[in-house]
Amino acid sequence: MSKSISRRKLLRQTASTMAGAVAGSVLVNDVPPAAASTALAVQQIEPVRFNGNKYATVPLRQPEILAAAIQSRVRAVDGDNPAPGLKANLDYMLKLIDKAQYYAGRKDLLCFHEFPLTGWDKWSRKQALNIAREIPGPETEAIGKKAKEYNCYITFGTYLKDKDWPSHLISATIIINPQGQVIAKHWKQRNIRLAFLGFELFTSSVYDVLDRYVEMYGWDAVIPIARTDIGNLGCSSCQWEPELFRTMAVKGVEIIVRTASGGGSQEDLKFACRTNGVYGVHINNAVSPDNPNFFEDAGGGSSAILGPRGDIVTQANNEHEAAVIGAIPIGAFRARHKLPEINTELYAHDMAQYQSEYPPSVFSQAQPENLESTGEFLKQKVRWPR
């Protein structure tokens, strides 16, 4: 048995002990805040319930919350000299938090898009790792102070790096609680493929390192739910992935926070909310002047708060910067909500025989150096005939 595996078993035992010893009002898959706010903590498994109207929660702070999707610009930083751009983007985020809380009541949940800190560009892996943030870190400390000041939750997407995953670039959605703590880092579950001309994304999604990810954190962390006192949150930057959002719903998600940039689809999340009977926050970028290498209108707009029938609670009027604000009656919703009814036996036989185009865990074997070499690497891994 390798030392690394032994260490991971020890981590599991430690996390289990902590879970029994520490109580808190905010749980991330039943992991105490202290554990969840460090590197991704090993998760206690919350079983999928057979009784559809009973699912794991923590008490709500109030019967109704006010959420805001912050539709803001996206601006890529310099991959060789990221510090000035990162500081400028962070300062801009902090100003937007102040603006969002300045008018129309205190917001309980502020949601930013996929890349407000780093932006996105065709960086090499070396450049991207130079840009990627350590979480917790100075940026989350500054954002956490704002969350504490306004007694709100703040979510945002970012590239991050982790000492347990050397050379891996991770895309994740971060949740910070009203005490200013990082309580969750929801990795992007999978990357889209064959969507770009001449290259593929080299970020390590959960699917791309599935074997080691499960070994380290357990299956419950693959599609995690953050159980907070404003509702059960599930975060992702995946699009057109109905199985993902259905699984979140089966695990008791109440609000899907779906980050996007460069053209996220509101219709996608409307469908997920309607078919699973849950609320959703869709956050896309705004028109973005001075974004290096991109036109300023690239894929902006459509941010919205969505209801459990796929209805629009409120949405952006246009593609410009805005705080899209909507009320979520989370107490009344929880009182009547039940998990979706799925006749799994009807689909299990065929789904068990299905094989995806690309196998899991390809980046457990190697991490290509740039977008173009990632495309060539994946061509060698494809399982479907071409």
Side-chain angles (χ1 to χ4, degrees):
M1 180 179 293
S2 70
K3 291 182 179 179
S4 62
I5 294 176
S6 298
R7 176 177 173 271
R8 291 169 199 159
K9 286 189 174 181
L10 179 61
L11 279 171
R12 290 194 185 95
Q13 293 169 359
T14 302
S16 178
T17 302
M18 291 179 68
V22 182
S25 62
V26 180
L27 302 182
V28 184
N29 295 299
D30 299 337
V31 177
S37 63
T38 61
L40 243 175
V42 178
Q43 315 272 338
Q44 296 295 302
I45 293 178
E46 165 60 37
V48 174
R49 303 299 180 96
F50 290 105
N51 186 345
N53 60 356
K54 303 288 185 183
Y55 54 93
T57 62
V58 298
L60 296 170
R61 64 197 284 183
Q62 59 206 40
E64 182 174 272
I65 66 166
L66 205 56
I70 309 300
Q71 182 172 284
S72 61
R73 74 185 191 193
V74 60
R75 186 170 292 175
V77 304
D78 185 340
D80 296 316
N81 182 30
L86 287 168
K87 183 180 185 306
N89 283 346
L90 173 61
D91 289 346
Y92 197 70
M93 277 187 72
L94 299 179
K95 288 180 181 178
L96 292 178
I97 293 169
D98 288 335
K99 287 184 177 183
Q101 296 287 16
Y102 181 73
Y103 183 72
R106 180 180 58 80
K107 319 309 180 296
D108 302 285
L109 174 63
L110 299 182
C111 303
F112 285 83
H113 62 71
E114 191 175 15
F115 296 123
L117 281 174
T118 65
W120 186 90
D121 210 338
K122 293 178 66 178
W123 300 300
S124 67
R125 180 178 294 275
K126 180 180 179 181
Q127 290 173 316
L129 287 172
N130 196 28
I131 289 162
R133 313 323 299 143
E134 293 183 350
I135 305 293
E139 291 81 13
T140 54
E141 181 179 354
I143 296 168
K145 287 180 180 177
K146 289 294 182 184
K148 192 171 183 179
E149 177 183 350
Y150 293 113
N151 190 32
C152 69
Y153 289 83
I154 299 175
T155 72
F156 65 96
T158 191
Y159 283 131
L160 64 87
K161 53 191 172 186
D162 191 308
K163 60 180 173 30
D164 289 332
W165 296 88
S167 78
H168 287 270
L169 180 70
I170 301 161
S171 179
T173 304
I174 310 303
I175 305 177
I176 297 178
N177 71 6
Q179 290 72 48
Q181 302 166 315
V182 174
I183 61 165
K185 294 183 279 189
H186 288 185
W187 285 35
K188 187 176 184 180
Q189 289 82 7
R190 68 176 292 271
N191 283 319
I192 56 173
R193 298 298 182 200
L194 302 177
F196 305 100
L197 294 176
F199 68 87
E200 298 285 347
L201 299 176
F202 54 67
T203 45
S204 294
S205 69
V206 174
Y207 186 75
D208 294 320
V209 292
L210 185 61
D211 53 354
R212 183 170 176 237
Y213 188 95
V214 171
E215 182 184 331
M216 290 184 71
Y217 310 129
W219 274 105
D220 192 42
V222 171
I223 303 177
I225 305 297
R227 300 176 180 91
T228 78
D229 61 5
I230 62 167
N232 289 354
L233 309 180
C235 303
S236 183
S237 56
C238 291
Q239 299 187 55
W240 300 110
E241 196 73 19
E243 296 84 3
L244 167 63
F245 299 121
R246 175 54 60 95
T247 305
M248 285 185 181
V250 166
K251 296 181 73 174
V253 78
E254 294 171 318
I255 304 171
I256 297 172
V257 177
R258 215 281 303 281
T259 62
S261 60
S265 169
Q266 184 192 106
E267 294 301 316
D268 173 30
L269 191 56
K270 286 173 69 175
F271 174 80
C273 291
R274 182 174 179 82
T275 54
N276 296 300
V278 298
Y279 279 88
V281 184
H282 165 59
I283 320 99
N284 198 17
N285 63 278
V287 169
S288 302
D290 302 321
N291 188 19
N293 302 317
F294 297 94
F295 289 101
E296 66 180 41
D297 67 342
S302 79
S303 299
I305 311 294
L306 302 169
R309 295 181 60 84
D311 51 308
I312 296 172
V313 175
T314 184
Q315 65 179 333
N317 295 325
N318 49 48
E319 297 181 351
H320 295 286
E321 289 196 325
V324 181
I325 303 165
I328 299 177
I330 189 67
F333 168 80
R334 179 175 289 181
R336 66 177 184 271
H337 180 58
K338 62 179 293 186
L339 305 184
E341 182 181 351
I342 309 169
N343 300 118
T344 54
E345 297 84 354
L346 189 63
Y347 316 115
H349 175 77
D350 289 328
M351 293 302 287
Q353 299 176 70
Y354 177 85
Q355 182 173 258
S356 58
E357 184 172 16
Y358 293 92
S361 306
V362 292
F363 290 163
S364 294
Q365 307 162 24
Q367 292 85 54
E369 288 303 309
N370 54 50
L371 297 167
E372 290 76 19
S373 62
T374 302
E376 293 301 315
F377 174 77
L378 289 174
K379 284 180 182 177
Q380 309 305 315
K381 301 294 182 181
V382 68
R383 298 192 290 198
W384 291 3
R386 293 293 180 102

